Amino acid sequence: MNWCPKCQTVLANEQVTEGECWRCHSAVEKRDLTQWYLKITDYAQELLDDLDQLDGWPERVKQMQANWIGRSEGAEVKFTLCDKQGNAPENPTEDDLITVFTTRADTLFGCSFFLLAPESPILKGLVEGTEYEAAVMQVVEDAKKITAVERAQGNKEKHGAFTGRYVVNPINGEKVPVWVADYIVADYGTGAVMAVPCGDQRDFEFAKKYDLPIIPIILGDDDPLFEQLKDEQGRVVTSVDWDSAMEAEGRLVQSGKYTGLTGGKHSEGEEAIVADLEAAGRGKRKVEFRLRDWLISRQRYWGNPIPMIYCDKCGLVPVPEEDLPVRLPEDIDLSAGETLATHEGFAKCTCPKCGGEARRETDTMDTFTCSSWYYLRYTDPHNTELPFDSAKTNRWMPVDQYIGGIEHAILHLLYSRFFTKVLRDLGMLDFDEPFKNLLCQGMVLDEHGDVMSKSKGNVISPEEMIAGYGCDAVRAYILFMAPPDKELQWNEDGLAGMHKFLNRVWRMVYDLVGKADEDTLYQPGASDAEAAAARKVLLRERHRVAGKVVDDFDRNNFNTAIAAIMELVNAIGDYLRKVGPEQRAASVDEQALATEVANVLVRLLAPICPHMTDELWHDALGCEGSIHTQEWPEFDPEKAKDDEVELAVQINGKVKARITVAADADQEAVKAVALEAVQDAVAGKDLKKVVVVPGRLVNIVAK
RNA sequence: GGGAGCGUGGCGGAAUCGGCAUACGCAGCGGACUUAAAAUCCGCCGCCGCAAGGCUUGUGGGUUCGAAUCCCACCGCUCCUACCA
């Protein structure tokens, strides 16, 4: 197990990052303990396959989950263990065979030694009472001491020892030595590995360090990728061009009857060799996953009790359903060092089977077990009989939009998907995935670029900013600073600007509905033509911006939605300056336009600035009810269009002039206007081609 | 070591399908109003250049009528993962 010495508890693999505890960042140690697991590995394939259904998830998160699940296609190969005298059994039984997993069966001819993990359960039996025992057990002991942190920091010096035993390679009958090596991971594959030093850099390093033979197989003895110094057996390699060797997978197998077949993962050679091993009963196709079972036991008070009872007579007995849930005791003195195990009122119980004295399991479950399905309860929160009624939950779920930090990409989001599938298989849910759309908001960084966190003490307090500018301004400013999925380096320079903008909105709305006091934006002096132009732009912007904001919200682009609202506000400002209060008061049409624009503006801004818009809704616009139950403003894409468009005129892709044409002008007319606009520049040149992109530009290709 | 992503003005950022690069804002500069300041409003604001004009999306190539966007190589940064056979 992974053990955190500070938290005094075990951790799941997912909760160890770079060798450290996810919660307190202490270096994680290894311990041998008997613990409870959930068998998430049974769902490895489905958890991987169903990532394809998650169109609304960031690619990055799906990639991280796929890597974590880590599917590898390969084969199991059975080697025969020789006895202590080094003789292979004539008719080996299953007990005489040791299985390895490999993705490169085509390299079996290059296997020159055989490795076991230090934690391998058969290791002790192999060396017990032999002259090799001391050295092997030393490697086992040392492996426990090297912390995962040291390994993560690149301390990858490999250690090993010969066990004195041999195994026979099933493909060629070669006898190779068995070593223990600390770079073999016990709980991946079988904890035993065939070593092919000319095909694997780690095996190569190990072979060099302990002077083990290196057989050049992928390519043959004379391949230039291997720099060779042959000993009397003709098989010592001093170095390998690894970069090239990695790309050499398409090359040919050069050994035995397979000579001439291509090598590599899923290659002809690999297929042929696995097929022969299978026929001989010495191998079979196998898929391995990196994902391990989820260790849920925690040595903590807070957590769901694990509902199991230990009885001396009956063994392990589950708490019967009618006694569930098991509740934590509240009369426990944690500060005095009392634990669930020492709390007799909790730990002591009677066996549900025989009625005799028994003890409860006093470990509790990982907090992530609770967070893996809490959201289901939201669909039926008052149910006193069941966690949730399936009919209700199936109606509401899955969650349309889930929001969370990227730090949960593997932990919470993988566990929740697993729980959903298990509950579905138990008949309690009728869907496969809990969260249709996922938004991972970026983290907030301080001025040095460090992630803000309570434990680092570098968080900024929103209270002060809210006191100075109001929470609508703080909220709008945060949304405006960056798209939500991007990380954001905190900087308050623009906050005062956002505050000014909202004040401007406030005054404008009152001005538009004719309730401005003395503080109007109107500056006399605009001509009728200028007033008409401002009015036209305003009407267009009202429709264009409403469409853009609705669209931006669908894509979570809140920053550009706010930018668009600012553009509408700029158009309103121009209108208010040029069409004065008296003019507006005198015209029913003008009042209707101004009121509608005010109404649209306030509704567009409502999700961003909920407080001030609700006040404007009642006090300025005189509307009833809450603004937050209103629909988005309607809009007409036709009215968002201008009847004239400005086009760039390019010569060979460089902008040389700009022309204004009617929006519905036909291409020939546009071409003529464009050519006229640049006639001096193209004079005397050969016109190869004229590309007209309606509404955008004209590109003239001339030589 | 393996995987993913990013690089645009002084700054945050925009450009949704290959079509006017720098929207919107911050900072800065100039102006109006004011006895003055605040507040408010207007204008300028990528780089070089007096100008005409030229250059510009990390660097270098390629595809294309046209590239921030697609392809290749390199440089730099970030995140994830890590002795996974």
Side-chain angles (χ1 to χ4, degrees), chain A residues 286-435:
Chain A
K286 185 80 200 290
V287 174
E288 276 293 335
F289 292 93
R290 228 186 57 118
L291 183 71
R292 311 295 152 74
D293 280 325
W294 176 12
L295 197 171
I296 57 154
S297 300
R298 293 294 178 275
Q299 290 71 45
R300 284 182 172 132
Y301 167 77
W302 287 109
N304 265 337
I306 296 169
M308 299 300 283
I309 290 168
Y310 298 95
C311 171
D312 283 341
K313 269 189 230 144
C314 313
L316 202 52
V317 184
V319 174
E321 190 168 337
E322 60 269 22
D323 294 342
L324 292 175
V326 178
R327 293 185 187 279
L328 290 173
E330 289 181 34
D331 59 338
I332 187 166
D333 191 354
L334 297 168
S335 58
E338 199 176 0
T339 66
L340 290 176
T342 62
H343 187 286
E344 287 300 301
F346 178 79
K348 265 173 84 171
C349 65
T350 52
C351 172
K353 237 181 194 170
C354 70
E357 251 187 39
R359 292 192 70 81
R360 288 187 190 284
E361 170 62 66
T362 53
D363 282 354
T364 57
M365 289 187 215
D366 185 358
T367 57
F368 280 96
T369 55
C370 301
S371 60
S372 295
W373 62 312
Y374 74 96
Y375 44 85
L376 300 175
R377 179 70 180 179
Y378 290 175
T379 63
D380 191 12
H382 304 297
N383 198 322
T384 55
E385 301 304 311
L386 294 165
F388 56 86
D389 179 316
S390 294
K392 289 182 182 172
T393 306
N394 288 335
R395 188 171 99 72
W396 285 100
M397 288 289 290
V399 174
D400 293 296
Q401 180 65 62
Y402 205 53
I403 303 173
I406 188 72
E407 68 272 20
H408 288 299
I410 294 172
L411 291 156
H412 170 57
L413 292 169
L414 186 67
Y415 294 147
S416 297
R417 297 181 61 220
F418 165 54
F419 258 65
T420 300
K421 291 173 193 306
V422 171
L423 292 171
R424 176 205 59 198
D425 289 347
L426 290 170
M428 298 171 76
L429 300 176
D430 67 0
F431 49 92
D432 301 322
E433 288 289 337
F435 313 124

Side-chain angles (χ1 to χ4, degrees), chain A residues 517-534:
Chain A
D517 300 331
E518 69 289 350
D519 195 18
T520 177
L521 295 170
Y522 177 61
Q523 289 169 349
S527 68
D528 288 351
E530 284 174 320

